[in-house]
Amino acid sequence: MFPQNRPPAPLQPPPGSSASAAAAAASGAPQALKLTYPETLDRIKEEFQFLQTQYHSLKMECEKLATEKTEIQRHYVMYYEMSYGLNIEMHKQTEIAKRLNVICAQLIPFLSQEVTHTYTRSSLGLRNPLAVQGAYPPGAFSLPPPGVNGELAGAAAAYGAGLHLVSPQMNGSAAAAAAAGYGRSPVVREGWGSDGGNGKRARGKQNIYTHTHTHTHTVEVGSLHTPYAYSFHVSADGQMQPVPFPPDALLGPGIPRHARQIHTLNHGEVVCAVTISTSTRHVYTGGKGCVKVWDISQPGSKSAMAQLDCLNRDNYIRSCKLLPDGRTLIVGGEASTLSIWDLATPTPRIKAELTSSAPACYALAISPDNKVCFSCCSDGNIVVWDLHNQTLVRQFQGHTDGASCIDISNDGTKLWTGGLDNTVRCWDLREGRQLQQHDFTSQIFSLGYCPTGEWLAVGMESSNVEVLHVSKPDKYQLHLHESCVLSLKFAYCGKWFVSTGKDNLLNAWRTPYGSSIFQSKESSSVLSCDISPDDQFIVTGSGDKKATVYEVIY
């Protein structure tokens, strides 16, 4: 830090001064190098110039390091973007492979024995879980499977578009016609599974259930034919086994055969909330800033009969619940206030507003006696409201992140809530305390409690639907969704329930083991759903700014 790496000399008074003489006398040592004041100032100036040179050198070094840092960050961003793009492409390839494998599983029962034994993974360039590895010499699978004529290929193409083959006894022409006519997409992927996530193969009989006949077709299958399972029973120790569905899985009173679209309600904004009246005449759709009311009792094109402006224009409605008398609607969303609407007046009006400390409400539930409303808040609290007095009664605290979904038992004694903290919690409404907690590895987006039994269905961000017994360790895990499960609702008979997802799918499941009853694919993410109290209609809200009304066919 000093010129010539030498320390600075001590300052000395000018020679001949009294101070100099006194210092020499006091020290009794030989006099040090004596500098005049000008020389001292020159020395200081020289040291300052050296420090200034060092400063400039360090400044240039810092600028160089900053440039290198910027370059490294740019390369990192480029690498991240490339990795992200590669991951997306790999995800697409995986989804394509999954869909092709399902198509293969549907086609193989239609083929002759010779065709079955020559159908392989090499014709698709993918690993075919239906083939027995090492059973055939190299080159034996170089050609597409013989006997697949244009009609059957047409049926396969229809399946790839979201339809499913109907009967294993149909020929190619009949299968193609059935698939083309079943735009509501009945499903036949049931029964024993193969390599469905637990590494085990099931052998024996495959139950192929159809919706065009009143009986069940049974096809002999072995490990060569067995398609992927999608429903698994999970034991208390975590072991997963494919579920063998009972013969009456898709038969009997109260079990739908399929559902057909009867109305499209063009809301104009993303529909995050839907509900249908007890009379099944009116449907309410919640979008950005408002709820629209639709009369679906008459056929033909639809336009909203009323619009209820609830929130600020840019805030979404997240939940709306209609009291059974059809005279009161409760609306919550991206605001700290719930709106209570009086629908009995000639023009609907707000008759009360309930304000909490949370910035948003994600879901609502009404007690069976219609006296209490429960709201799931973005801060994780569950707020209990007295609807008669419009007052806050209590709060349940436990979720460490937003409470996203809610349902209540038919007797009104237990409340079930799911949260973004990966937990499902059960609350005792009489004692005001938490009874149970179920921990998951994924955020909970939806749930429903079976009206007639002790089963709770949970829809997760991971794409799984899990059905839990509320007092036993029994659990089923269902794997037909390919993305987040955004909404879930039980039929009032309790024998089936529906789930919707970001994968555009509406799935109907048998309670509790989850055999697929029917499936419908919409044109965008399906964010919300509801079932009419008579189990005759399903309504969904989607990301393409519309709601769809389905008639359930039994």
Short mmCIF file of all heavy atoms in Angstrom, two decimals, residues 403-457:
data_model
loop_
_atom_site.label_atom_id
_atom_site.label_comp_id
_atom_site.label_asym_id
_atom_site.label_seq_id
_atom_site.Cartn_x
_atom_site.Cartn_y
_atom_site.Cartn_z
N ALA A 403 -56.94 -22.73 2.48
CA ALA A 403 -57.93 -23.82 2.49
C ALA A 403 -58.67 -23.78 1.16
O ALA A 403 -59.32 -22.78 0.84
CB ALA A 403 -58.89 -23.65 3.66
N SER A 404 -58.59 -24.84 0.37
CA SER A 404 -59.01 -24.79 -1.03
C SER A 404 -60.35 -25.45 -1.31
O SER A 404 -60.99 -25.15 -2.32
CB SER A 404 -57.95 -25.46 -1.91
OG SER A 404 -57.71 -26.78 -1.48
N CYS A 405 -60.81 -26.38 -0.45
CA CYS A 405 -62.03 -27.12 -0.75
C CYS A 405 -62.67 -27.59 0.55
O CYS A 405 -62.00 -27.69 1.58
CB CYS A 405 -61.74 -28.31 -1.67
SG CYS A 405 -60.33 -29.32 -1.17
N ILE A 406 -63.98 -27.92 0.46
CA ILE A 406 -64.72 -28.19 1.70
C ILE A 406 -65.96 -29.02 1.38
O ILE A 406 -66.52 -28.92 0.29
CB ILE A 406 -65.13 -26.85 2.36
CG1 ILE A 406 -65.73 -27.06 3.73
CG2 ILE A 406 -66.09 -26.07 1.46
CD1 ILE A 406 -65.88 -25.77 4.52
N ASP A 407 -66.37 -29.85 2.32
CA ASP A 407 -67.64 -30.55 2.25
C ASP A 407 -68.06 -30.90 3.67
O ASP A 407 -67.24 -30.93 4.59
CB ASP A 407 -67.55 -31.80 1.38
CG ASP A 407 -68.92 -32.22 0.84
OD1 ASP A 407 -69.91 -31.54 1.14
OD2 ASP A 407 -68.99 -33.22 0.10
N ILE A 408 -69.36 -31.19 3.85
CA ILE A 408 -69.91 -31.43 5.17
C ILE A 408 -70.70 -32.73 5.16
O ILE A 408 -71.30 -33.09 4.13
CB ILE A 408 -70.81 -30.23 5.59
CG1 ILE A 408 -71.24 -30.36 7.05
CG2 ILE A 408 -72.00 -30.07 4.67
CD1 ILE A 408 -71.91 -29.10 7.59
N SER A 409 -70.67 -33.46 6.27
CA SER A 409 -71.40 -34.72 6.35
C SER A 409 -72.90 -34.45 6.36
O SER A 409 -73.35 -33.37 6.75
CB SER A 409 -70.99 -35.50 7.61
OG SER A 409 -71.30 -34.76 8.77
N ASN A 410 -73.67 -35.46 5.93
CA ASN A 410 -75.12 -35.28 5.82
C ASN A 410 -75.79 -34.98 7.16
O ASN A 410 -76.82 -34.31 7.21
CB ASN A 410 -75.75 -36.52 5.19
CG ASN A 410 -75.96 -36.33 3.69
OD1 ASN A 410 -75.46 -35.38 3.12
ND2 ASN A 410 -76.69 -37.24 3.08
N ASP A 411 -75.22 -35.50 8.25
CA ASP A 411 -75.82 -35.24 9.56
C ASP A 411 -75.37 -33.90 10.15
O ASP A 411 -75.81 -33.51 11.23
CB ASP A 411 -75.50 -36.38 10.53
CG ASP A 411 -74.00 -36.57 10.74
OD1 ASP A 411 -73.21 -35.75 10.23
OD2 ASP A 411 -73.63 -37.55 11.41
N GLY A 412 -74.48 -33.21 9.44
CA GLY A 412 -74.06 -31.88 9.88
C GLY A 412 -73.14 -31.86 11.08
O GLY A 412 -72.94 -30.81 11.69
N THR A 413 -72.52 -32.99 11.41
CA THR A 413 -71.65 -33.03 12.59
C THR A 413 -70.18 -32.92 12.26
O THR A 413 -69.38 -32.57 13.12
CB THR A 413 -71.88 -34.34 13.37
OG1 THR A 413 -71.53 -35.46 12.52
CG2 THR A 413 -73.33 -34.46 13.80
N LYS A 414 -69.80 -33.21 11.02
CA LYS A 414 -68.38 -33.20 10.65
C LYS A 414 -68.18 -32.36 9.39
O LYS A 414 -69.00 -32.37 8.47
CB LYS A 414 -67.86 -34.62 10.42
CG LYS A 414 -67.82 -35.49 11.65
CD LYS A 414 -67.19 -36.83 11.34
CE LYS A 414 -67.11 -37.72 12.58
NZ LYS A 414 -68.44 -38.07 13.09
N LEU A 415 -67.06 -31.66 9.39
CA LEU A 415 -66.66 -30.83 8.26
C LEU A 415 -65.32 -31.33 7.74
O LEU A 415 -64.42 -31.62 8.53
CB LEU A 415 -66.55 -29.37 8.70
CG LEU A 415 -66.36 -28.32 7.60
CD1 LEU A 415 -67.68 -28.15 6.84
CD2 LEU A 415 -65.93 -26.99 8.22
N TRP A 416 -65.20 -31.47 6.43
CA TRP A 416 -63.95 -31.91 5.81
C TRP A 416 -63.40 -30.78 4.96
O TRP A 416 -64.12 -30.18 4.17
CB TRP A 416 -64.18 -33.14 4.94
CG TRP A 416 -64.57 -34.34 5.73
CD1 TRP A 416 -65.82 -34.72 6.11
CD2 TRP A 416 -63.68 -35.32 6.27
NE1 TRP A 416 -65.78 -35.87 6.85
CE2 TRP A 416 -64.48 -36.28 6.96
CE3 TRP A 416 -62.31 -35.50 6.24
CZ2 TRP A 416 -63.94 -37.37 7.61
CZ3 TRP A 416 -61.76 -36.60 6.88
CH2 TRP A 416 -62.57 -37.52 7.55
N THR A 417 -62.11 -30.48 5.14
CA THR A 417 -61.47 -29.41 4.37
C THR A 417 -60.14 -29.89 3.82
O THR A 417 -59.44 -30.69 4.44
CB THR A 417 -61.23 -28.16 5.24
OG1 THR A 417 -60.38 -28.50 6.35
CG2 THR A 417 -62.54 -27.61 5.76
N GLY A 418 -59.80 -29.41 2.64
CA GLY A 418 -58.50 -29.69 2.04
C GLY A 418 -57.75 -28.40 1.80
O GLY A 418 -58.36 -27.34 1.61
N GLY A 419 -56.43 -28.49 1.80
CA GLY A 419 -55.65 -27.26 1.71
C GLY A 419 -54.44 -27.37 0.82
O GLY A 419 -54.02 -28.45 0.39
N LEU A 420 -53.88 -26.20 0.53
CA LEU A 420 -52.64 -26.12 -0.24
C LEU A 420 -51.43 -26.52 0.59
O LEU A 420 -50.31 -26.49 0.08
CB LEU A 420 -52.47 -24.69 -0.78
CG LEU A 420 -53.66 -24.18 -1.62
CD1 LEU A 420 -53.37 -22.77 -2.13
CD2 LEU A 420 -53.97 -25.11 -2.78
N ASP A 421 -51.66 -26.87 1.86
CA ASP A 421 -50.58 -27.37 2.72
C ASP A 421 -50.48 -28.89 2.65
O ASP A 421 -49.84 -29.51 3.51
CB ASP A 421 -50.80 -26.93 4.17
CG ASP A 421 -52.14 -27.40 4.73
OD1 ASP A 421 -52.93 -28.00 3.96
OD2 ASP A 421 -52.40 -27.18 5.93
N ASN A 422 -51.12 -29.50 1.63
CA ASN A 422 -51.05 -30.96 1.40
C ASN A 422 -51.78 -31.77 2.46
O ASN A 422 -51.48 -32.95 2.63
CB ASN A 422 -49.60 -31.45 1.31
CG ASN A 422 -48.81 -30.80 0.20
OD1 ASN A 422 -49.30 -29.89 -0.47
ND2 ASN A 422 -47.59 -31.25 -0.02
N THR A 423 -52.74 -31.18 3.15
CA THR A 423 -53.46 -31.92 4.18
C THR A 423 -54.96 -31.88 3.94
O THR A 423 -55.49 -30.93 3.35
CB THR A 423 -53.18 -31.37 5.58
OG1 THR A 423 -53.76 -30.07 5.71
CG2 THR A 423 -51.70 -31.31 5.87
N VAL A 424 -55.64 -32.93 4.42
CA VAL A 424 -57.09 -32.96 4.54
C VAL A 424 -57.40 -33.09 6.02
O VAL A 424 -56.83 -33.93 6.71
CB VAL A 424 -57.70 -34.13 3.75
CG1 VAL A 424 -59.17 -34.33 4.11
CG2 VAL A 424 -57.56 -33.90 2.25
N ARG A 425 -58.31 -32.25 6.50
CA ARG A 425 -58.61 -32.23 7.93
C ARG A 425 -60.11 -32.42 8.16
O ARG A 425 -60.93 -31.95 7.37
CB ARG A 425 -58.14 -30.92 8.57
CG ARG A 425 -56.63 -30.70 8.42
CD ARG A 425 -56.23 -29.28 8.78
NE ARG A 425 -54.85 -29.02 8.42
CZ ARG A 425 -53.82 -28.98 9.28
NH1 ARG A 425 -54.05 -29.19 10.57
NH2 ARG A 425 -52.60 -28.75 8.86
N CYS A 426 -60.43 -33.10 9.27
CA CYS A 426 -61.82 -33.31 9.68
C CYS A 426 -62.06 -32.54 10.98
O CYS A 426 -61.24 -32.61 11.90
CB CYS A 426 -62.09 -34.80 9.88
SG CYS A 426 -63.76 -35.16 10.47
N TRP A 427 -63.17 -31.79 11.01
CA TRP A 427 -63.49 -30.96 12.16
C TRP A 427 -64.81 -31.42 12.79
O TRP A 427 -65.77 -31.71 12.09
CB TRP A 427 -63.62 -29.50 11.74
CG TRP A 427 -62.48 -29.00 10.91
CD1 TRP A 427 -62.36 -29.08 9.55
CD2 TRP A 427 -61.30 -28.35 11.38
NE1 TRP A 427 -61.18 -28.53 9.14
CE2 TRP A 427 -60.50 -28.06 10.23
CE3 TRP A 427 -60.83 -27.97 12.63
CZ2 TRP A 427 -59.28 -27.42 10.33
CZ3 TRP A 427 -59.60 -27.33 12.72
CH2 TRP A 427 -58.84 -27.06 11.59
N ASP A 428 -64.86 -31.44 14.10
CA ASP A 428 -66.07 -31.74 14.85
C ASP A 428 -66.82 -30.43 15.04
O ASP A 428 -66.35 -29.53 15.74
CB ASP A 428 -65.72 -32.38 16.20
CG ASP A 428 -66.95 -32.88 16.95
OD1 ASP A 428 -67.98 -32.19 16.91
OD2 ASP A 428 -66.88 -33.96 17.54
N LEU A 429 -68.02 -30.32 14.43
CA LEU A 429 -68.75 -29.06 14.49
C LEU A 429 -69.44 -28.86 15.83
O LEU A 429 -69.80 -27.73 16.19
CB LEU A 429 -69.77 -29.01 13.35
CG LEU A 429 -69.17 -29.00 11.95
CD1 LEU A 429 -70.28 -28.95 10.89
CD2 LEU A 429 -68.24 -27.82 11.77
N ARG A 430 -69.65 -29.94 16.59
CA ARG A 430 -70.30 -29.78 17.89
C ARG A 430 -69.31 -29.29 18.94
O ARG A 430 -69.64 -28.46 19.77
CB ARG A 430 -70.92 -31.11 18.32
CG ARG A 430 -72.09 -31.55 17.45
CD ARG A 430 -72.49 -32.99 17.70
NE ARG A 430 -71.42 -33.92 17.37
CZ ARG A 430 -71.56 -35.25 17.33
NH1 ARG A 430 -72.73 -35.78 17.62
NH2 ARG A 430 -70.54 -36.03 17.02
N GLU A 431 -68.08 -29.83 18.88
CA GLU A 431 -67.09 -29.45 19.87
C GLU A 431 -66.12 -28.39 19.37
O GLU A 431 -65.34 -27.84 20.15
CB GLU A 431 -66.31 -30.69 20.31
CG GLU A 431 -67.20 -31.77 20.93
CD GLU A 431 -66.39 -32.97 21.38
OE1 GLU A 431 -65.14 -32.89 21.34
OE2 GLU A 431 -67.00 -33.98 21.77
N GLY A 432 -66.15 -28.11 18.07
CA GLY A 432 -65.29 -27.06 17.53
C GLY A 432 -63.83 -27.40 17.54
O GLY A 432 -62.98 -26.53 17.83
N ARG A 433 -63.47 -28.64 17.23
CA ARG A 433 -62.06 -29.03 17.25
C ARG A 433 -61.74 -29.96 16.09
O ARG A 433 -62.64 -30.53 15.47
CB ARG A 433 -61.72 -29.73 18.56
CG ARG A 433 -62.48 -31.03 18.77
CD ARG A 433 -62.20 -31.63 20.14
NE ARG A 433 -62.92 -32.88 20.35
CZ ARG A 433 -62.43 -34.09 20.02
NH1 ARG A 433 -61.20 -34.18 19.49
NH2 ARG A 433 -63.14 -35.19 20.24
N GLN A 434 -60.45 -30.10 15.80
CA GLN A 434 -60.01 -30.99 14.73
C GLN A 434 -60.00 -32.42 15.21
O GLN A 434 -59.49 -32.73 16.29
CB GLN A 434 -58.62 -30.58 14.23
CG GLN A 434 -58.10 -31.45 13.10
CD GLN A 434 -56.76 -30.97 12.57
OE1 GLN A 434 -56.57 -29.79 12.31
NE2 GLN A 434 -55.82 -31.90 12.42
N LEU A 435 -60.57 -33.33 14.39
CA LEU A 435 -60.62 -34.74 14.74
C LEU A 435 -59.54 -35.55 14.05
O LEU A 435 -58.91 -36.42 14.66
CB LEU A 435 -61.99 -35.32 14.36
CG LEU A 435 -63.21 -34.79 15.11
CD1 LEU A 435 -64.48 -35.42 14.55
CD2 LEU A 435 -63.08 -35.09 16.61
N GLN A 436 -59.34 -35.31 12.75
CA GLN A 436 -58.40 -36.11 11.96
C GLN A 436 -57.58 -35.21 11.06
O GLN A 436 -57.98 -34.09 10.75
CB GLN A 436 -59.14 -37.13 11.08
CG GLN A 436 -59.98 -38.15 11.81
CD GLN A 436 -60.69 -39.07 10.84
OE1 GLN A 436 -60.24 -39.33 9.72
NE2 GLN A 436 -61.84 -39.59 11.25
N GLN A 437 -56.44 -35.75 10.65
CA GLN A 437 -55.61 -35.08 9.64
C GLN A 437 -54.97 -36.14 8.75
O GLN A 437 -54.38 -37.10 9.24
CB GLN A 437 -54.53 -34.21 10.28
CG GLN A 437 -53.59 -33.57 9.28
CD GLN A 437 -52.61 -32.61 9.92
OE1 GLN A 437 -52.93 -31.94 10.92
NE2 GLN A 437 -51.40 -32.54 9.39
N HIS A 438 -55.13 -35.98 7.45
CA HIS A 438 -54.50 -36.88 6.48
C HIS A 438 -53.47 -36.07 5.69
O HIS A 438 -53.80 -35.03 5.11
CB HIS A 438 -55.55 -37.46 5.52
CG HIS A 438 -56.61 -38.27 6.21
ND1 HIS A 438 -56.47 -39.62 6.45
CD2 HIS A 438 -57.81 -37.92 6.74
CE1 HIS A 438 -57.55 -40.08 7.07
NE2 HIS A 438 -58.38 -39.06 7.26
N ASP A 439 -52.24 -36.57 5.69
CA ASP A 439 -51.14 -35.88 5.00
C ASP A 439 -50.88 -36.52 3.64
O ASP A 439 -50.84 -37.75 3.52
CB ASP A 439 -49.87 -35.91 5.84
CG ASP A 439 -50.04 -35.18 7.16
OD1 ASP A 439 -50.52 -34.03 7.14
OD2 ASP A 439 -49.70 -35.76 8.21
N PHE A 440 -50.68 -35.69 2.64
CA PHE A 440 -50.41 -36.14 1.28
C PHE A 440 -49.11 -35.50 0.79
O PHE A 440 -48.54 -34.63 1.45
CB PHE A 440 -51.56 -35.77 0.34
CG PHE A 440 -52.88 -36.43 0.70
CD1 PHE A 440 -53.74 -35.84 1.61
CD2 PHE A 440 -53.25 -37.63 0.13
CE1 PHE A 440 -54.95 -36.43 1.95
CE2 PHE A 440 -54.45 -38.24 0.47
CZ PHE A 440 -55.30 -37.63 1.37
N THR A 441 -48.68 -35.94 -0.38
CA THR A 441 -47.46 -35.38 -0.98
C THR A 441 -47.79 -34.38 -2.08
O THR A 441 -46.93 -34.00 -2.84
CB THR A 441 -46.59 -36.50 -1.57
OG1 THR A 441 -47.36 -37.23 -2.55
CG2 THR A 441 -46.13 -37.45 -0.48
N SER A 442 -49.04 -33.97 -2.15
CA SER A 442 -49.49 -33.06 -3.20
C SER A 442 -50.52 -32.10 -2.63
O SER A 442 -51.21 -32.41 -1.65
CB SER A 442 -50.09 -33.86 -4.36
OG SER A 442 -50.67 -33.00 -5.33
N GLN A 443 -50.63 -30.94 -3.24
CA GLN A 443 -51.65 -29.99 -2.82
C GLN A 443 -53.04 -30.54 -3.11
O GLN A 443 -53.25 -31.22 -4.11
CB GLN A 443 -51.46 -28.65 -3.53
CG GLN A 443 -50.23 -27.89 -3.07
CD GLN A 443 -50.11 -26.54 -3.75
OE1 GLN A 443 -50.49 -26.37 -4.91
NE2 GLN A 443 -49.59 -25.56 -3.03
N ILE A 444 -53.98 -30.22 -2.24
CA ILE A 444 -55.36 -30.68 -2.38
C ILE A 444 -56.17 -29.58 -3.06
O ILE A 444 -56.23 -28.46 -2.57
CB ILE A 444 -55.98 -31.01 -1.01
CG1 ILE A 444 -55.03 -31.91 -0.19
CG2 ILE A 444 -57.34 -31.66 -1.18
CD1 ILE A 444 -54.67 -33.21 -0.85
N PHE A 445 -56.79 -29.92 -4.19
CA PHE A 445 -57.56 -28.94 -4.94
C PHE A 445 -59.07 -29.15 -4.82
O PHE A 445 -59.84 -28.22 -5.04
CB PHE A 445 -57.19 -28.99 -6.43
CG PHE A 445 -55.87 -28.34 -6.75
CD1 PHE A 445 -55.36 -28.39 -8.04
CD2 PHE A 445 -55.14 -27.68 -5.78
CE1 PHE A 445 -54.14 -27.79 -8.34
CE2 PHE A 445 -53.92 -27.08 -6.07
CZ PHE A 445 -53.42 -27.14 -7.35
N SER A 446 -59.52 -30.36 -4.49
CA SER A 446 -60.95 -30.64 -4.44
C SER A 446 -61.21 -31.84 -3.55
O SER A 446 -60.33 -32.69 -3.37
CB SER A 446 -61.50 -30.90 -5.86
OG SER A 446 -60.77 -31.95 -6.49
N LEU A 447 -62.42 -31.91 -2.99
CA LEU A 447 -62.82 -33.09 -2.23
C LEU A 447 -64.35 -33.14 -2.16
O LEU A 447 -65.04 -32.16 -2.41
CB LEU A 447 -62.20 -33.11 -0.83
CG LEU A 447 -62.50 -31.99 0.19
CD1 LEU A 447 -63.88 -32.13 0.82
CD2 LEU A 447 -61.46 -32.00 1.30
N GLY A 448 -64.84 -34.34 -1.82
CA GLY A 448 -66.27 -34.53 -1.64
C GLY A 448 -66.52 -35.66 -0.67
O GLY A 448 -65.78 -36.66 -0.65
N TYR A 449 -67.56 -35.51 0.16
CA TYR A 449 -67.92 -36.54 1.13
C TYR A 449 -69.14 -37.29 0.62
O TYR A 449 -70.14 -36.67 0.23
CB TYR A 449 -68.21 -35.91 2.49
CG TYR A 449 -68.44 -36.91 3.60
CD1 TYR A 449 -67.38 -37.53 4.23
CD2 TYR A 449 -69.73 -37.25 4.00
CE1 TYR A 449 -67.58 -38.46 5.24
CE2 TYR A 449 -69.95 -38.17 5.01
CZ TYR A 449 -68.87 -38.77 5.62
OH TYR A 449 -69.08 -39.69 6.62
N CYS A 450 -69.07 -38.63 0.62
CA CYS A 450 -70.16 -39.44 0.10
C CYS A 450 -71.40 -39.28 0.97
O CYS A 450 -71.33 -39.48 2.19
CB CYS A 450 -69.74 -40.91 0.05
SG CYS A 450 -71.02 -42.00 -0.59
N PRO A 451 -72.55 -38.94 0.37
CA PRO A 451 -73.77 -38.69 1.18
C PRO A 451 -74.29 -39.92 1.90
O PRO A 451 -75.00 -39.80 2.90
CB PRO A 451 -74.79 -38.20 0.14
CG PRO A 451 -73.98 -37.75 -1.02
CD PRO A 451 -72.77 -38.62 -1.04
N THR A 452 -73.94 -41.13 1.41
CA THR A 452 -74.54 -42.34 1.98
C THR A 452 -73.54 -43.28 2.64
O THR A 452 -73.92 -44.36 3.06
CB THR A 452 -75.28 -43.12 0.87
OG1 THR A 452 -74.35 -43.44 -0.17
CG2 THR A 452 -76.40 -42.28 0.30
N GLY A 453 -72.31 -42.91 2.71
CA GLY A 453 -71.32 -43.82 3.29
C GLY A 453 -70.11 -43.06 3.77
O GLY A 453 -69.98 -41.85 3.56
N GLU A 454 -69.22 -43.78 4.45
CA GLU A 454 -68.07 -43.12 5.05
C GLU A 454 -66.88 -43.10 4.11
O GLU A 454 -65.80 -43.61 4.42
CB GLU A 454 -67.72 -43.83 6.36
CG GLU A 454 -68.82 -43.69 7.41
CD GLU A 454 -68.38 -44.24 8.75
OE1 GLU A 454 -67.61 -45.22 8.77
OE2 GLU A 454 -68.80 -43.69 9.77
N TRP A 455 -67.08 -42.53 2.94
CA TRP A 455 -66.00 -42.40 1.95
C TRP A 455 -65.79 -40.94 1.61
O TRP A 455 -66.74 -40.19 1.43
CB TRP A 455 -66.33 -43.19 0.68
CG TRP A 455 -66.39 -44.67 0.90
CD1 TRP A 455 -67.51 -45.43 1.04
CD2 TRP A 455 -65.28 -45.57 1.01
NE1 TRP A 455 -67.18 -46.75 1.24
CE2 TRP A 455 -65.82 -46.87 1.22
CE3 TRP A 455 -63.90 -45.42 0.97
CZ2 TRP A 455 -65.01 -48.00 1.37
CZ3 TRP A 455 -63.09 -46.54 1.11
CH2 TRP A 455 -63.64 -47.81 1.31
N LEU A 456 -64.53 -40.58 1.52
CA LEU A 456 -64.15 -39.22 1.16
C LEU A 456 -63.27 -39.29 -0.09
O LEU A 456 -62.25 -39.99 -0.10
CB LEU A 456 -63.37 -38.56 2.30
CG LEU A 456 -62.93 -37.12 2.05
CD1 LEU A 456 -64.11 -36.17 2.25
CD2 LEU A 456 -61.77 -36.73 2.98
N ALA A 457 -63.67 -38.60 -1.15
CA ALA A 457 -62.88 -38.56 -2.39
C ALA A 457 -62.09 -37.25 -2.41
O ALA A 457 -62.62 -36.18 -2.11
CB ALA A 457 -63.78 -38.66 -3.61
#
